[in-house]
């Protein structure tokens, strides 16, 4: 036998033995009816569920899985067979890890996080499709030196790669101050090799959530992960048999494995390669997985990467704060005539940041752009990017927008030399990079002089915001002659297509009609294509021949009828990354809406994750629909079924968030006052009877409407 297959089988057999023993022990200890589950998932033991369709729910379900696992290990001298043994190793790891959850969260005291809940995976959908997260790295083992490990991880971080750490590399990276956590795109999973399964199931659940892969379709699953999940593995340090067997599992899923041990002739080009020089690991890995990185080299003294977007800067760590709470502050992008703008002019009007911390200053960020193809509708699209770009600077935190903003600069970033002129460079460079097809010239004025900042705020910004709000409010589906598709999510959900209208934004919440319009202008052949609004067949349900035809083409025939305003008849498809899920609650004659952040139970008897799993992958499921938060207060929200009056339950946080606008909509459409007070939430009840009693008491309109189900 080759040394490689030898190692794989040795590792797989070892894991099989451990798994069988652990299952027997668990059954002896807890009996066969002990419930087992990973936290917050609708996919049971995801690897087993996806590969075989078996829904593991109790210890007694496991012996059959162990038998399947053992049958995958043939010990035959053949690489294909050996890769199956790798999959068996993944199944074993899943069972071993799953058993740990019987007595609560085994990672409570660990620096790793263990199992990744479904809602987190859904939240990764948009950054993955936009290329904001260009790939997923799995780094495991123990590197030669702490610094060597940290350099690789920081390299990935600076490129936006989502990196999962397993084993000693966690402490090695921590020792060199790598910032960790999901918000930094560096996620420590656990210390035992088996915890690698927690990233494997992320890829597997992506196939179930976004790809509409049916449980039991192993071939479809392996094809999906290979073609659509841009992951790869780095194994540092000496390789144990179990690591090699787990690596074989990764290769079976289509993820190349790069090791720092010299494997000599045991290398499998394109799948398993050695790179002994740590400084060459990252580059080689990205090449092997075909991940291309758009590098943004900016002339500023701190790192600039999307991985720093979630960075929090506490009061004690900050050098300077600009906040509209205390000083005049605003952010404004304005379109000008070409000759009114001097390209690349950056002006600091007032003092640069200086003085003893904490320094508090005014700041009006005033950007003027000009271009032959520029439209005033693109001003807010550019303006909203300021939030992201400022956050991408390491050591800068930005929250809010318009005239409600807070910006903090850390002492560390200040010490590295970061100043306002760098903010100007970031804005200039990013606008010219991302909006080059509409912006020909751009100038940036950063006003810190309080009197002048106040003048910009009051004389320029506020009137402009008001003008835009009026335009937005007047913008209805009826007032435009074009809708747009968005098929960005097709890279994960191949048959999904959002139809974006003024009153219905994309279900991810990130693409408004104006965004879609701008995207079409910026990338004419890109994901957003116009749908001329003609051929109306049913105004109430929102059925248009042009919408149907365009969606059919955009989904390669997978979906041919879509209504814009109905949840019961041909509802819009969902990809999986929706902010909220809406599902009918038949006994209340209405719908419940749950947002991704809510982890509790709903009166449908399902959590967000379970409700979410009812739809997705570009499939239409009457009665269930993913959508953005802003859609809840839209006059078009399931208007075919009677609109917002159907909403009977929402988590409290969501209810509070949408209350003002939703009340307004209910008042405007139905003359109902304080409608939100009639909607139940988890602080009132999460069971059917409790919700119904509350609705009765409040005289909720849904109770007396036509039956939602025929
Ligand atoms: Fe994906 Fe739809 Fe959002 Fe486009 S609008 S990114 S397709 S969810
Ligand atoms: Zn999506």
């Amino acid at each position: 036998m080759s040394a490689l297959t030898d190692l794989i089988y040795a590792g797989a057999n070892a894991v099989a033995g451990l798994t069988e023993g652990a299952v027997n022990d668990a059954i002896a200890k807890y009996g066969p009816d002990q419930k087992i589950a990973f936290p917050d998932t609708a996919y049971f033991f995801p690897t087993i569920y996806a590969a075989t369709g078996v829904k593991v729910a109790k210890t007694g379900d496991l012996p059959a899985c162990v038998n399947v696992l053992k049958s995958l290990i043939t010990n035959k001298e053949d690489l294909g067979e050996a890769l199956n043994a790798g999959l068996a190793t993944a199944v074993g790891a899943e069972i071993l890890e799953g058993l740990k959850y019987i007595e609560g969260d085994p990672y409570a005291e660990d620096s790793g996080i263990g199992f990744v809940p479904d809602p987190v995976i859904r939240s990764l959908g948009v950054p993955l499709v936009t290329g904001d997260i260009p790939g997923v790295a799995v780094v495991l083992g123990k590197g030669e030196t702490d610094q060597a490990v940290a350099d690789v991880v920081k390299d990935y971080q600076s490129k936006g790669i989502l990196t999962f750490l397993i084993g000693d590399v966690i402490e090695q990276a921590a020792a060199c101050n790598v910032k960790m956590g999901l918000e930094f795109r560096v996620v420590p999973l656990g210390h035992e090799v088996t915890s690698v399964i927690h990233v494997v199931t992320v890829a597997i659940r992506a196939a179930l959530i976004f790809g509409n892969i049916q449980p039991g379709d192993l071939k479809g699953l392996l094809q999906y992960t290979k073609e659509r999940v841009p992951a790869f593995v780095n194994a540092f340090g000496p390789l144990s048999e179990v690591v090699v067997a787990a690596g074989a599992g990764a290769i079976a899923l289509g993820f190349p494995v790069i090791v720092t041990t010299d494997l000599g002739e045991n290398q499998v080009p394109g799948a398993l390669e050695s790179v002994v020089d740590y400084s060459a690991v990252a580059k080689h890995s990205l090449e092997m997985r075909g991940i291309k990185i758009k590098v943004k080299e900016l002339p500023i003294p701190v790192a600039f990467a999307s991985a720093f977007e979630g960075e929090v800067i506490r009061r004690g760590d900050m050098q300077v704060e600009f906040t509209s709470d205390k000083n005049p502050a605003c952010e404004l992008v304005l379109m000008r005539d070409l000759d009114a703008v001097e390209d690349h002019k950056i002006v600091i009007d007032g003092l640069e940041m200086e003085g003893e911390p904490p320094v508090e200053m005014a700041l009006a960020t005033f950007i003027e752009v000009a271009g032959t193809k520029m439209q005033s509708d693109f001003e807010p699209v550019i303006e909203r990017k300021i939030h992201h770009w400022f956050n991408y600077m390491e050591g800068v935190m930005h929250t809010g927008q318009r005239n409600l903003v807070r910006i903090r600069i850390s002492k560390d970033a200040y010490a590295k030399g970061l100043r306002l002129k760098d903010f100007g460079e970031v804005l200039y460079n990013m606008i010219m990079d991302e909006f080059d097809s509409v912006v020909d010239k751009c100038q940036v004025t950063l006003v810190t002089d309080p009197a002048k900042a106040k003048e910009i705020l009051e004389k320029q910004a506020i009137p402009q915001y008001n003008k835009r709000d009026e335009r937005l409010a007047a913008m209805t589906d009826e007032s435009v002659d074009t809708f747009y598709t968005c098929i960005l999510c097709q890279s994960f959900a191949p048959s999904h297509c959002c139809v974006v209208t003024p009153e219905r934004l994309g279900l991810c919440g990130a693409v408004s009609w104006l965004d879609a319009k701008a995207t079409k202008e910026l990338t004419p052949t890109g994901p957003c294509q116009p749908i001329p609004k003609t051929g109306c067949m049913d105004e109430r349900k929102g059925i248009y021949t042009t919408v149907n035809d365009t969606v059919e083409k955009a989904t390669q025939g997978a979906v041919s009828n879509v209504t814009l305003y109905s949840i019961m008849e041909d509802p819009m498809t969902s990809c999986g990354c929706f902010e909220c899920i809406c599902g009918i609650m038949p006994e209340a004659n209405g719908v419940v809406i749950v947002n991704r952040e809510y982890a509790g139970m709903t009166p449908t008897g399902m959590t967000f994750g379970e409700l979410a799993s009812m739809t997705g992958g570009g499939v239409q499921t009457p009665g269930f629909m993913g959508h953005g938060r802003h859609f809840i207060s839209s006059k078009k929200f399931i208007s075919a079924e009677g609109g917002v009056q159907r909403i009977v339950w929402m988590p409290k946080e969501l209810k509070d968030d949408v209350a003002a606008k939703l009340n307004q909509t209910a008042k405007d459409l139905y003359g109902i006052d304080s409608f939100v007070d009639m909607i139940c939430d988890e602080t009132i009840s999460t069971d059917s009877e409790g919700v119904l009693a509350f609705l009765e008491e409040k005289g909720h309109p849904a109770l007396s409407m036509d039956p939602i189900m025929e």
Side-chain angles (χ1 to χ4, degrees):
M1 269 210 202
S2 88
L4 179 62
T5 47
D6 257 356
L7 277 172
I8 295 173
Y9 284 124
N13 283 311
V15 170
L18 277 175
T19 309
E20 188 164 32
V23 168
N24 291 340
D25 289 351
I27 292 178
K29 185 167 173 195
Y30 304 104
D33 294 320
Q34 168 67 42
K35 264 181 58 183
I36 40 172
F38 288 106
D40 211 355
T41 180
Y43 303 98
F44 310 93
F45 279 37
T47 314
I48 294 172
Y49 181 55
T52 67
V54 171
K55 301 173 176 177
V56 172
K58 54 182 184 1
T59 36
D61 297 331
L62 290 174
C65 301
V66 174
N67 287 338
V68 173
L69 178 172
K70 289 203 287 193
S71 73
L72 283 168
I73 310 174
T74 59
N75 297 308
K76 283 194 194 134
E77 167 66 63
D78 170 86
L79 191 59
E81 297 268 333
L83 294 187
N84 281 340
L87 290 176
T89 308
V91 170
E94 181 165 272
I95 294 173
L96 289 168
E97 287 287 311
L99 287 169
K100 291 185 188 169
Y101 280 87
I102 289 183
E103 292 187 347
D105 180 6
Y107 288 89
E109 308 281 305
D110 195 294
S111 50
I113 63 161
F115 190 80
V116 179
D118 290 357
V120 172
I121 299 175
R122 291 177 183 278
S123 72
L124 295 173
V126 171
L128 279 163
V129 297
T130 55
D132 194 19
I133 298 179
V136 177
V138 181
V139 177
L140 58 88
K142 180 171 186 179
E144 205 165 53
T145 63
D146 295 355
Q147 197 58 50
V149 171
D151 287 347
V152 174
V153 175
K154 280 189 182 167
D155 193 355
Y156 290 145
Q157 192 174 42
S158 73
K159 295 183 164 78
I161 300 274
L162 176 63
T163 306
F164 291 94
L165 304 179
I166 294 122
D168 290 337
V169 288
I170 296 175
E171 278 65 37
Q172 291 190 294
C176 298
N177 299 320
V178 173
K179 292 177 181 155
M180 286 193 223
L182 191 61
E183 66 277 28
F184 290 111
R185 309 247 168 104
V186 177
V187 184
L189 280 182
H191 289 82
E192 284 179 62
V193 187
T194 47
S195 62
V196 74
I197 194 65
H198 300 311
V199 55
V200 170
T201 76
V202 169
I204 287 176
R205 280 177 286 158
L208 297 170
I209 290 174
F210 301 107
N212 193 32
I213 297 297
Q214 297 305 310
D217 177 8
L218 179 60
K219 204 166 147 252
L221 172 74
L222 297 182
Q223 190 181 352
Y224 184 94
T225 52
K226 181 179 165 67
E227 289 174 1
R228 299 188 186 267
V229 182
F232 59 87
V233 180
N234 289 164
F236 289 164
L239 299 172
S240 70
E241 292 161 346
V242 174
V243 168
V244 175
I251 293 168
L253 289 162
F255 307 149
V257 177
I258 295 86
V259 302
T260 53
T261 307
D262 189 355
L263 290 179
E265 61 184 19
N266 277 311
Q267 294 183 66
V268 183
L272 175 64
E273 297 186 10
S274 297
V275 177
V276 287
D277 173 6
Y278 280 75
S279 67
V281 166
K283 185 162 175 285
H284 192 81
S285 300
L286 296 175
E287 278 168 12
M288 259 175 94
R289 194 62 178 118
I291 298 171
K292 295 200 180 64
I293 307 283
K294 267 209 317 197
V295 261
K296 298 188 194 84
E297 293 291 345
L298 293 177
I300 60 170
V302 295
F304 183 85
S306 51
F308 297 109
E309 184 156 13
E311 194 178 12
V312 174
I313 294 161
R314 292 177 211 295
R315 199 144 236 301
D317 296 330
M318 83 193 188
Q319 177 80 23
V320 186
E321 183 174 54
F322 308 96
T323 164
S324 49
D325 282 355
K326 296 184 181 156
N327 290 298
C330 64
E331 289 167 355
L332 181 66
V333 173
L334 275 191
M335 181 175 100
R336 296 283 196 216
D337 288 338
L338 270 171
D339 50 15
V341 177
E342 187 182 325
D343 192 39
H344 207 162
K345 181 174 167 192
I346 295 170
V347 178
I348 314 294
D349 192 349
L351 298 172
E352 247 296 355
M353 328 177 197
E354 55 191 37
E356 282 305 301
V359 183
E360 287 171 348
M361 300 174 77
L363 181 63
T365 302
F366 185 40
I367 302 169
E368 291 156 287
V369 294
T372 44
K373 286 201 186 152
M374 181 66 196
Q375 301 180 19
S376 55
D377 270 354
F378 304 155
E379 289 170 353
V381 176
I382 301 176
E383 201 174 279
R384 265 193 305 141
K385 299 290 274 187
I386 298 174
H387 167 73
H388 300 282
W389 295 331
F390 278 2
N391 270 323
Y392 288 0
M393 286 184 270
E394 188 176 14
V396 177
M397 178 178 90
H398 181 285
T399 57
Q401 57 168 337
R402 288 188 165 185
N403 56 332
L404 295 173
V405 289
R406 178 189 301 277
I407 307 166
R408 286 181 172 177
I409 289 87
S410 74
K411 287 176 184 162
D412 206 30
Y414 183 84
K416 285 183 182 149
L418 186 74
R419 296 295 181 271
L420 278 174
K421 65 172 185 353
D422 302 307
F423 282 52
E425 285 294 344
V426 163
L427 293 171
Y428 175 79
N429 280 281
M430 294 311 290
I431 287 173
M432 295 315 273
D433 181 49
E434 289 191 20
F435 293 92
D436 58 331
S437 45
V438 293
V439 175
D440 302 331
K441 290 160 102 187
C442 168
Q443 76 181 38
V444 180
T445 313
L446 298 162
V447 186
T448 57
D449 178 289
K452 288 185 183 163
K454 187 158 182 274
E455 195 178 318
I456 291 197
L457 169 69
E458 289 171 357
K459 297 232 168 82
Q460 306 255 21
I462 302 277
Q464 193 64 22
Y465 301 150
N466 290 341
K467 216 168 91 190
R468 283 186 204 154
D469 286 346
E470 278 160 31
R471 162 142 171 78
L472 275 180
M475 224 168 55
T476 59
D477 289 6
E478 289 75 24
S479 74
V480 300
D481 56 12
T482 310
F483 298 149
Y484 290 92
T485 59
C486 182
I487 55 162
L488 208 50
C489 284
Q490 282 196 356
S491 48
F492 283 103
S495 55
H496 172 67
C497 174
C498 277
V499 179
V500 182
T501 76
E503 292 178 85
R504 180 169 194 168
L505 78 172
L507 52 81
C508 57
V511 179
S512 71
W513 184 82
L514 282 182
D515 294 320
K517 186 178 168 203
T519 302
K520 163 70 186 149
E521 204 59 49
L522 294 167
T523 20
T525 57
C528 296
Q529 293 300 317
I531 309 176
K533 207 187 78 181
T534 54
C536 179
M537 297 200 293
D538 186 326
E539 206 159 343
R540 193 176 60 93
K541 291 178 185 160
I543 308 179
Y544 292 83
T545 48
T546 46
V547 170
N548 287 343
D549 293 348
T550 312
V551 170
E552 181 163 35
K553 225 169 73 200
T555 62
Q556 292 85 40
V559 180
S560 39
N561 290 296
V562 168
T563 64
L564 301 181
Y565 310 131
S566 173
I567 188 175
M568 297 308 291
E569 184 179 329
D570 301 329
M572 241 181 251
T573 59
S574 300
C575 44
C577 64
F578 36 82
E579 287 187 303
C580 301
I581 176 89
C582 175
I584 57 167
M585 180 176 171
E587 66 273 37
N589 203 28
V591 297
V592 306
I593 303 175
V594 197
N595 53 307
R596 203 160 55 200
E597 296 78 13
Y598 176 74
M601 190 40 81
T602 77
T604 59
M606 291 185 267
T607 60
F608 170 85
E610 287 162 335
L611 272 166
S613 73
M614 303 296 293
T615 181
V619 183
Q620 292 173 301
T621 320
F624 295 92
M625 189 177 75
H627 58 81
R629 267 183 185 238
H630 285 300
F631 187 51
I632 298 171
S633 55
S634 167
K635 289 184 174 153
K636 294 296 192 295
F637 179 80
I638 62 170
S639 54
E641 280 81 27
V644 296
Q645 300 175 88
R646 290 283 187 186
I647 305 172
V648 296
W649 193 95
M650 281 195 270
K652 179 95 170 52
E653 181 269 323
L654 183 62
K655 210 165 100 172
D656 292 345
D657 185 39
V658 301
K661 285 195 172 146
L662 183 53
N663 276 336
Q664 190 62 50
T665 302
K667 177 82 181 158
D668 291 351
L669 290 181
Y670 316 109
I672 304 172
D673 284 307
S674 311
F675 172 60
V676 169
D677 296 344
M678 296 177 173
I679 301 173
C680 195
D681 65 49
E682 78 281 12
T683 65
I684 303 161
S685 182
T686 55
D687 64 57
S688 189
E689 295 86 69
V691 174
L692 285 175
F694 177 81
L695 300 177
E696 294 277 359
E697 182 199 317
K698 294 284 173 186
H700 193 291
L703 297 178
S704 50
M705 290 171 74
D706 288 344
I708 193 165
M709 296 214 313
E710 319 234 300

